[in-house]
Amino acid sequence: MIEDIEKYLEEVRQFQTADGEELEKFRIRFAGKKGILNELFARFKQVPKEDKPRYGKLLNELKKAVEDKVRSLREELARASARAGSGEDLTKPGYPYPLGARHPLSITKNRIIDIFKRIGFNVSEGPEIEDDWHNFTALNLPEYHPARDMQDTFFIRRNPDWLLRTHTSSVQIRYMEKHKPPIRTISPGRVYRNEDISTRSHIQFHQIEGLYVDEGVSFADLKHTILFFTKELFGKSKIRFRPSYFPFTEPSAEVDVYWGLKTEHDYRITKGTGWLEIMGAGMVDPNVLENMQIDSQKYTGFAFGLGIERIAMLLFGIPDIRMYYENDLRLLEQFKSVL
Ligand code: DAH
């Protein structure tokens, strides 16, 4: 009986086929319900006692040899049919993989963030649905303050205290609620205003807010920070600060960058002056610091806010703000190679 197993073992080891049906026959013959393996296992009882260990060992070896053989031949068959199966010319070049592109607003936002990160600013965010306190009151814009009309607000009807934030300055407040000076943070995000839609304005757009609060922060720090920024982003190193008014800063300024008048395009976008307004800025009003329980005798700060759409228009020559939101692939695909 032991010789029988050895014979089978040899047979199994020698067995080869490239034919699925033949392999299945082989499997059934050995491993089927009434197959050789089951029969040999059934015979175990009749094996003389002294032969049992060797018989058992050989039988297990046979069983394993059958399993291995069936598995490896099946794999080979699958590989062969994959090779032959499709009938495709496998030497043809592949289909091009469709590459996405970043949105010009994201590209611009990321560039601005990178610049401020290099001088120690972190990134913070706040909610787009705000309450009156964070969007207005804490920013030194109490109820009935006329400057509230500077920004036409979408209110949420369910709760008159809720609104869509009109600027990212609200994140200044959220940030100062959680962090004490020294503070150096920039806050990118989407904002909303109830304005007529045109080439230059939209009901939704994006801003980046900057806030720096520490002991001894001065207007000179603000100027130098903005100068660094315009040099890095535009390669332009001439800027000017025009006196302006914002309720949350005192003094306040609007910042212009000197764009130049080299081309007809320069004339058009600067209305012939060479100067372009790029942001609002100023020294954080002491009232705002006190609202946040920050001692305005000890600490001073500067803040600024800029619109990402305007900056991206300058960087990429995009003529109409509406183009950002139309998702026209003819525009978006042009940014595939831009980082
Ligand atoms: N929040 C202003 C706006 O939306 C922009 C701004 C101006 C932000 C001056 C500031 C600032 O932080 O200091 O028009």
Side-chain angles (χ1 to χ4, degrees):
M1 275 189 292
I2 283 182
E3 296 84 75
D4 285 348
I5 301 183
E6 280 171 337
K7 213 175 77 226
Y8 285 135
L9 203 51
E10 195 50 31
E11 185 190 335
V12 169
R13 283 180 180 145
Q14 298 297 326
F15 181 74
Q16 276 303 334
T17 181
D19 179 82
E21 254 170 62
E22 207 179 314
L23 174 59
E24 185 57 10
K25 268 192 210 147
F26 168 86
R27 188 191 66 79
I28 291 170
R29 179 159 157 258
F30 279 95
K33 229 182 198 165
K34 293 181 185 155
I36 291 167
L37 284 172
N38 277 347
E39 194 194 310
L40 291 173
F41 274 109
R43 265 200 240 160
F44 190 67
K45 283 192 234 99
Q46 300 149 28
V47 176
K49 205 171 170 199
E50 65 276 15
D51 285 347
K52 271 190 169 151
R54 191 158 146 66
Y55 184 92
K57 188 167 168 282
L58 273 172
L59 189 47
N60 277 327
E61 229 170 273
L62 178 63
K63 182 169 179 246
K64 185 161 183 308
V66 171
E67 286 166 358
D68 287 351
K69 182 61 85 175
V70 169
R71 188 179 337 103
S72 73
L73 286 179
R74 272 185 184 162
E75 281 168 10
E76 241 169 71
L77 279 171
R79 272 198 296 275
S81 84
R83 269 197 303 273
S86 67
E88 287 249 15
D89 175 0
L90 296 180
T91 63
K92 280 201 306 196
Y95 293 106
Y97 192 79
L99 254 194
R102 276 192 220 290
H103 194 280
L105 291 175
S106 299
I107 295 167
T108 307
K109 179 185 81 174
N110 291 341
R111 285 189 190 175
I112 296 171
I113 288 175
D114 281 350
I115 293 169
F116 283 104
K117 269 192 176 168
R118 293 216 295 279
I119 49 174
F121 283 74
N122 67 9
V123 177
S124 53
E125 286 185 38
E128 291 177 24
I129 297 177
E130 259 303 359
D131 51 40
D132 182 280
W133 168 254
H134 294 91
N135 195 80
F136 290 126
T137 306
L139 285 162
N140 203 29
L141 271 150
E143 217 182 335
Y144 304 120
H145 192 292
R148 281 195 179 205
D149 293 343
M150 282 162 69
Q151 304 172 349
D152 297 303
T153 309
F154 285 117
F155 290 94
I156 289 173
R157 206 187 284 177
R158 246 186 69 200
N159 183 337
D161 191 46
W162 291 347
L163 46 87
L164 297 181
R165 67 178 176 195
T166 58
H167 52 188
T168 44
S169 302
S170 55
V171 189
Q172 283 188 28
I173 302 303
R174 298 234 164 235
Y175 197 84
M176 285 188 278
E177 280 172 351
K178 294 235 170 71
H179 303 89
K180 292 297 148 210
I183 288 169
R184 257 178 292 176
T185 190
I186 51 169
S187 321
R190 184 174 293 170
V191 301
Y192 302 85
R193 286 184 202 177
N194 190 3
E195 282 182 19
D196 291 337
I197 295 174
S198 70
T199 48
R200 303 197 63 76
S201 63
H202 209 282
I203 55 169
Q204 55 159 31
F205 54 101
H206 299 79
Q207 290 187 329
I208 294 188
E209 189 78 12
L211 177 67
Y212 185 176
V213 182
D214 201 352
E215 285 180 57
V217 176
S218 71
F219 205 90
D221 295 318
L222 169 62
K223 275 182 160 172
H224 208 82
T225 304
I226 302 305
L227 182 61
F228 172 75
F229 166 70
T230 56
K231 275 187 188 167
E232 292 296 303
L233 189 65
F234 303 118
K236 309 267 183 197
S237 49
K238 198 159 134 186
I239 57 174
R240 72 179 179 195
F241 285 65
R242 273 181 295 109
S244 184
Y245 173 75
F246 298 102
F248 26 89
T249 43
E250 180 59 35
S252 304
E254 271 162 309
V255 182
D256 300 339
V257 60
Y258 189 71
W259 198 256
L261 284 172
K262 289 207 190 76
T263 66
E264 196 185 321
H265 181 251
D266 295 344
Y267 266 89
R268 189 147 34 83
I269 62 173
T270 67
K271 298 197 182 89
T273 66
W275 292 95
L276 269 177
E277 186 203 320
I278 53 162
M279 67 172 81
M283 301 305 292
V284 179
D285 192 300
N287 289 342
V288 175
L289 296 176
E290 294 297 334
N291 283 340
M292 305 323 297
Q293 274 89 50
I294 292 174
D295 181 354
S296 64
Q297 295 297 317
K298 184 167 174 207
Y299 294 104
T300 51
F302 67 69
F304 58 87
L306 55 86
I308 301 180
E309 275 78 354
R310 280 209 57 168
I311 304 239
M313 281 171 138
L314 294 173
L315 287 179
F316 302 122
I318 293 172
D320 187 322
I321 197 171
R322 290 168 286 202
M323 294 172 83
Y324 290 122
Y325 319 116
E326 283 164 355
N327 287 328
D328 188 332
L329 289 177
R330 289 171 301 177
L331 175 80
L332 300 179
E333 284 185 339
Q334 295 180 49
F335 294 91
K336 275 185 181 169
S337 58
V338 186
L339 288 175

